[in-house]
Amino acid sequence: MLKTIKVPLAVLIVLFIASVSYAVNVPSPSINVNLGATDNPVDVANSIKLLVILTILALAPSILIMMTSFTRIIIVLAIVRQGLGTQQMPPNQILIGIALFLTFFIMSPQISTIYNDAYKPLQENKIGLQEAYHRAEKPLKAFMLKQTRKKDLALFLRISKSKNPKNKDELSLGIVIPAFMVSELKTAFEMGFMIYIPFLVVDMVVASILMSMGMMMLPPIMISLPFKLLLFVLADGWNLVVMSLFKSFNIM
């Protein structure tokens, strides 16, 4: 099963950088769309490259979610919004935009490494696809393994009935990626729980005060919301959340 996904996964990893790196200089050759009416191999090759790039752009969100820091960031930001009780403020588009830019910032060393060591030499025909795959796999695997718990790796090794590797280099991406995603979910919910506690305390205090005053018909959220917003702003909450996310990835 792992062998069947190796080739497309290699193409996705190597060419993923084309959709997120500002340094990529995409040529714009004249392409004949009607492949059956041309005998020029260059036109056919350029058409295939265009189809591959379009495929990568369509699959880039899945790659971003599976193999980067995006999952942890977006879950923590969503829990912060839920704890504040502001419903759709900030909107989903804002949260996703913040998560995307923070992901690019956190993953910039890996993106630069993949671009310089794998994509650029492949584009210049200095290395083949297999070599580019191995070069692109190393920084991504190293990043994911730093965030992955051994317990989750052992789980997917046991499910796949694979032999225990001698070292981390022998682990395939088919094992590392799902283990990384499970570890990210656990870490994100742990951080979200710690962030949610202060907001929960404010809600409980406000609810207790309203009950002691006999104002049971007044929704506590209407009273606690301004206090939670004030507490969050005075504590410079967004700065603390972003700093905590960066520290959780060991980049500070």
Side-chain angles (χ1 to χ4, degrees):
M1 177 180 176
L2 297 180
K3 292 183 178 179
T4 60
I5 66 172
K6 185 175 182 180
V7 173
L9 186 58
V11 176
L12 294 179
I13 294 174
V14 174
L15 296 182
F16 168 61
I17 197 64
S19 64
V20 299
S21 176
Y22 295 103
V24 176
N25 184 15
V26 180
S28 55
S30 177
I31 298 176
N32 191 344
V33 179
N34 188 0
L35 298 179
T38 180
D39 296 328
N40 189 348
V42 176
D43 290 341
V44 176
N46 288 332
S47 299
I48 294 175
K49 287 182 179 180
L50 178 62
L51 291 175
V52 172
I53 291 175
L54 291 176
T55 303
I56 297 303
L57 292 175
L59 296 176
S62 298
I63 303 172
L64 185 67
I65 291 174
M66 290 189 299
M67 305 174 68
T68 66
S69 57
F70 181 84
T71 301
R72 184 187 305 184
I73 295 172
I74 192 63
I75 291 177
V76 171
L77 293 180
I79 292 177
V80 170
R81 183 178 66 180
Q82 185 72 21
L84 285 171
T86 54
Q87 301 300 326
Q88 294 299 318
M89 287 295 167
N92 291 331
Q93 294 86 343
I94 300 296
L95 290 184
I96 293 175
I98 295 174
L100 283 173
F101 278 100
L102 292 179
T103 298
F104 292 150
F105 186 85
I106 292 172
M107 300 296 297
S108 57
Q110 288 74 26
I111 293 175
S112 299
T113 301
I114 295 174
Y115 176 74
N116 293 323
D117 296 346
Y119 179 77
K120 190 174 181 180
L122 178 66
Q123 188 75 3
E124 296 173 353
N125 296 322
K126 294 181 178 179
I127 60 175
L129 181 61
Q130 191 71 13
E131 178 64 21
Y133 165 72
H134 290 300
R135 292 188 182 185
E137 180 185 24
K138 290 180 180 179
L140 283 176
K141 184 187 290 186
F143 171 80
M144 289 188 287
L145 286 175
K146 286 182 179 179
Q147 321 301 328
T148 306
R149 298 180 302 162
K150 294 181 180 180
K151 182 178 180 180
D152 295 325
L153 287 172
L155 170 65
F156 286 96
L157 283 172
R158 185 168 63 252
I159 292 175
S160 63
K161 298 181 180 179
S162 302
K163 296 181 179 179
N164 291 330
K166 296 180 181 179
N167 51 59
K168 293 182 178 180
D169 295 333
E170 295 183 2
L171 288 169
S172 66
L173 287 179
I175 299 295
V176 175
I177 292 175
F180 168 74
M181 294 185 66
V182 172
S183 295
E184 285 294 278
L185 289 173
K186 177 179 174 61
T187 304
F189 279 101
E190 286 177 347
M191 295 181 64
F193 173 76
M194 298 303 296
I195 292 173
Y196 204 95
I197 290 178
F199 301 127
L200 180 62
V201 171
V202 173
D203 286 333
M204 293 177 63
V205 170
V206 171
S208 299
I209 294 175
L210 291 178
M211 289 184 64
S212 64
M213 297 175 63
M215 304 175 66
M216 299 181 184
M217 301 301 294
L218 183 64
I221 187 65
M222 294 182 60
I223 307 300
S224 64
L225 178 58
F227 290 100
K228 289 190 291 186
L229 289 176
L230 180 62
L231 175 65
F232 193 71
V233 171
L234 291 178
D236 201 1
W238 291 115
N239 182 283
L240 294 175
V241 170
V242 172
M243 183 175 64
S244 299
L245 285 169
F246 284 169
K247 286 185 176 180
S248 69
F249 289 104
N250 299 319
I251 66 171
M252 291 186 65

